[in-house]
Amino acid sequence: MSIDKTSATPEDHLVENPEAAAKAVTAVDPRLLVREQGFAGYITEFKRKMKAGDLGSIPVVIGLIIIWAIFASLNSNFLTAGNLSDISVAMVGTGMIAVGIVFVLLLGEIDLSVGSVSGVAGATFAVLNVTHGMNEWLAFVLAILTGTVAGAIHGFVFARIGVPAFAVTLAGLLFWNGFMLKILGDNGTINLDSEGVVAKLTSYYFTDVAAAYALAVVVTAGFFLSSFLDNRRREAAGVPSRPLSETIARTVLLAIIAFAVAVIYNQYKGLPLAVVIFVGVLLLTDFVLRRTSYGRKIFALGGSVEASRRAGINVEMVRISVFAISGTFAAIGGLFIASKIASANQGAGAGDLLMNAIAAAVIGGTSLFGGRGRTWNALLGVLVIVSIQYGLALEGIASPVQYMITGGVLLATVVIDAITRKTQKTAGRA
């Protein structure tokens, strides 16, 4: 039986020529997370990602290592257990606000009101609980809801009326700052109960050494189980997945980091409650963004609003909810900041708080142009910023220099982000 050469497929020619079939190189599916087996495959994939501008969190991790190395060489106290523990607690307030900023940035928008909203939350709790004697937990919940309502108002004006988010949240920055000053009254400062709910957010430590190790075990085991089950689902659906060897390697690396952190905490006061809450928030928000249809809608809007609308996504609802989330986390962050200073005062939410929250999200790897980022970026970014602040403080360097250095780091990050987008467009990935 002869084969029609005009309609023959490449496979037919290979059947006719066994030697050609033996020499043929199997086509590699470009969707594969790792396209070749073994260590060489990871090197090849790493080079491909670098050429395509897919840098991920590599720049900020390298930058953090350099920052720690510099400050450790300048001052031996920088990498002590006490200083590292203090850094981790101090970063939680700004980090919580940065988590909400990540949601907004994923839409390609900005929220300039988060600093003032955080101040309103702390003032609301202090006025309700201390001044009016309201139950602590009820005042705590109402303080957080003030942030939710403020964010929802911003989102409504932006999504339904069409006022640019920059203008809406800039107005919110001024309005909520004035509102905070109004409810605080002439005194301007309300001290919190040092044994109260809010005060213990940053002052409470789990002194039992088992607590830090238990958290390390839970985080490591949770990561492995999540990755393993995700790979199983991908394999069952016929979708390319990571090999088990890579999952194990990633889990081992995470375990080393987690247990090293646990050892550091146990050398000081123990595991801080603030860090436990922050890690829990990061896990929850990461799950929402990457594992739910709501999270996929946020990424879709960041990619293209018009395409999302045509796909049936309720654009207005998603936008309003995202700004409500931003306001909620601003309020939570404000309560942690109030806990750190054990008071609510007229300076809350002012200064460099807004800049640091936005910078943390961007420095951590969230794109200013929307559609790319994770809430874990907030952790990396705020860790860089607070490390710089504590390192310079140990050297007795004034605040103006801190602002200049932080601004330089932010500019470098934005430049990298812009270059990355151009590289991805050239590679056909944007």
Side-chain angles (χ1 to χ4, degrees), residues 97-111 298-299 301-303 322-323 326 357-374 377 410 417:
I97 301 175
V99 169
I101 289 292
V102 169
F103 277 80
V104 177
L105 290 179
L106 287 175
L107 294 182
E109 302 296 341
I110 195 69
D111 188 349
I298 294 176
F299 280 104
L301 259 67
V322 164
F323 276 88
S326 178
I358 296 176
V362 176
I363 290 173
T366 304
S367 176
L368 278 170
F369 303 99
R372 189 177 79 248
R374 298 179 60 180
N377 297 148
L410 176 59
D417 185 27

